[in-house]
Amino acid sequence: MVLGGSGFLGSHLCDQLLVRGDEVVCVDNFSTGRKANVAHLADHPGFELVEADISVGIPVDGAVTGVCNLASPASPPDYLALPLETLAVGSEGTRHGLELAGRHGARFLMASTSEVYGDPDVHPQSETYWGNVNPVGPRSVYDEAKRFSEALTMAHHRSRGTDVAIVRIFNTYGPRLRPDDGRVVSNFLLQAMRGEPLTVYGDGSQTRSLCYVEDEVRGLLALFDSDLTGPVNIGNPDEYTVIQLARTIIDLLGSTSSIEHRPLPTDDPTRRRPDITVARSALGWEPTTSLEDGLSRTATYLAQDSGLSDPS
Ligand code: UDP
């Protein structure tokens, strides 16, 4: 069962589970996920799509052997626009997923986030770092929802023996990012393709480490298939400043776009880079897609999705 299965990451996870022969029930309320992300699976005999808000309940019958909880708004503009829904899905939604997994003796994978580290004062971030989060800032609706999800997951594991795993997902990009998602890669690629200025928030010295979606999903599956509880960081440790990313995208696409600075969002983390020692040693996982390859593939997708000519 993939909760949030028609979202950006969830839909790629559904694809990979079906490729290896699993049966998949995708549950989504389409608040930020798109039906188009799983439309190609509609006739697949192993695939079922259920429209439901997991904060309210998970109306699914039948045997369940695994529950992957990827249901949540994940882009800052999305969760800032849906603050109460984000807190509800992180708390009640996660509870429903955990109870379902517990009833069926199924393994539960909780998709957590690098946002649990907040604006980190330890760099790079390893799983043992407890984070530096503003619990009352605007981003707290996401950060604290995910921190609560982690706490709830561990409480079910400790008190009820539920088989769980927690993955901390770092910035991920690739095909099926919504063009209006508002995250840095989709914004910059579309702006570069349209010849519009790239909107760099702040001076662009903040850093992110970007993982291509196929690598990310391979990591999620490796953790799901293991007997680790985690949390385990899954992300690409190659770190770039936002201004470097803007220049890379302009060069890669041969764009005529300029760079325009906009105000930095409140509590925007100044740096972020995963320490993936655990994923490497315990799961044998590491990312393999170069930034240039990943960006080109994402540009092709966004161009098609937005009716622009393919830049690659
Ligand atoms: N960002 C930017 N311009 C944009 C969108 C984002 O400069 O048009 C910056 C944002 O301030 C942050 C980084 O890019 O420092 C990554 O932002 P994103 O929203 O993709 O994800 P976050 O890591 O903040 O959750």
Side-chain angles (χ1 to χ4, degrees):
M1 183 157 308
V2 182
L3 310 177
S6 74
F8 162 56
L9 268 178
S11 63
H12 284 279
L13 182 60
C14 290
D15 283 347
Q16 289 313 310
L17 288 166
L18 289 167
V19 161
R20 70 187 207 174
D22 287 334
E23 289 182 7
V24 174
V25 179
C26 162
V27 183
D28 210 296
N29 68 348
F30 308 112
S31 72
T32 58
R34 299 204 292 178
K35 285 189 178 153
N37 286 344
V38 289
H40 61 289
L41 302 176
D43 295 330
H44 194 296
F47 183 75
E48 188 187 337
L49 178 60
V50 174
E51 180 164 358
D53 180 352
I54 68 155
S55 308
V56 177
I58 306 177
V60 173
D61 300 322
V64 177
T65 53
V67 178
C68 299
N69 182 19
L70 287 83
S72 178
S75 164
D78 283 345
Y79 62 68
L80 294 173
L82 297 166
L84 299 178
E85 293 83 349
T86 302
L87 285 160
V89 77
S91 52
E92 284 301 277
T94 300
R95 178 170 73 82
H96 289 133
L98 279 160
E99 286 175 353
L100 179 77
R103 277 199 303 278
H104 289 270
R107 183 158 165 83
F108 180 85
L109 177 74
M110 179 64 219
S112 185
T113 169
S114 56
E115 284 277 335
V116 301
Y117 300 122
D119 189 8
D121 39 28
V122 168
H123 195 74
Q125 294 78 55
S126 70
E127 293 86 349
T128 52
Y129 175 50
W130 289 357
N132 176 36
V133 170
N134 174 359
V136 292
R139 290 177 93 95
S140 66
V141 299
Y142 186 63
D143 303 8
E144 297 293 1
K146 291 294 187 180
R147 288 171 73 98
F148 180 83
S149 294
E150 291 198 10
L152 193 63
T153 300
M154 290 311 296
H156 274 253
H157 177 59
R158 292 192 180 108
S159 69
R160 299 189 181 177
T162 309
D163 180 16
V164 303
I166 296 171
V167 55
R168 292 188 177 146
I169 297 171
F170 283 65
N171 294 66
T172 303
Y173 70 100
R176 300 187 197 150
L177 272 175
R178 286 193 345 260
D180 63 346
D181 169 279
R183 275 183 280 200
V184 68
V185 170
S186 42
N187 274 7
F188 283 1
L189 284 173
L190 282 166
Q191 288 161 346
M193 286 191 269
R194 292 180 173 135
E196 296 168 358
L198 271 61
T199 53
V200 169
Y201 301 161
D203 64 6
S205 62
Q206 69 273 34
T207 68
R208 293 294 185 273
S209 308
L210 299 165
C211 190
Y212 188 63
V213 65
E214 276 176 16
D215 287 332
E216 186 67 41
V217 168
R218 189 165 45 78
L220 263 54
L221 280 173
L223 176 58
F224 183 75
D225 290 340
S226 75
D227 56 7
L228 294 189
T229 297
V232 178
N233 290 337
I234 298 286
N236 191 321
D238 294 342
E239 182 182 7
Y240 304 88
T241 63
V242 166
I243 197 100
Q244 268 178 331
L245 178 67
R247 293 194 183 117
T248 302
I249 286 178
I250 288 172
D251 288 350
L252 185 74
L253 302 188
S255 169
T256 56
S257 289
S258 58
I259 288 177
E260 232 173 61
H261 292 270
R262 299 273 170 84
L264 193 65
T266 307
D267 295 337
D268 198 284
T270 48
R271 54 190 179 163
R272 183 180 287 160
R273 176 186 181 190
D275 179 331
I276 60 166
T277 308
V278 174
R280 275 201 176 107
S281 59
L283 301 175
W285 177 87
E286 62 182 2
T288 56
T289 310
S290 71
L291 183 66
E292 283 71 17
D293 266 7
L295 288 174
S296 299
R297 289 190 235 167
T298 311
T300 299
Y301 169 82
L302 285 170
Q304 279 163 5
D305 196 69
S306 309
L308 298 163
S309 59
D310 187 346
S312 58

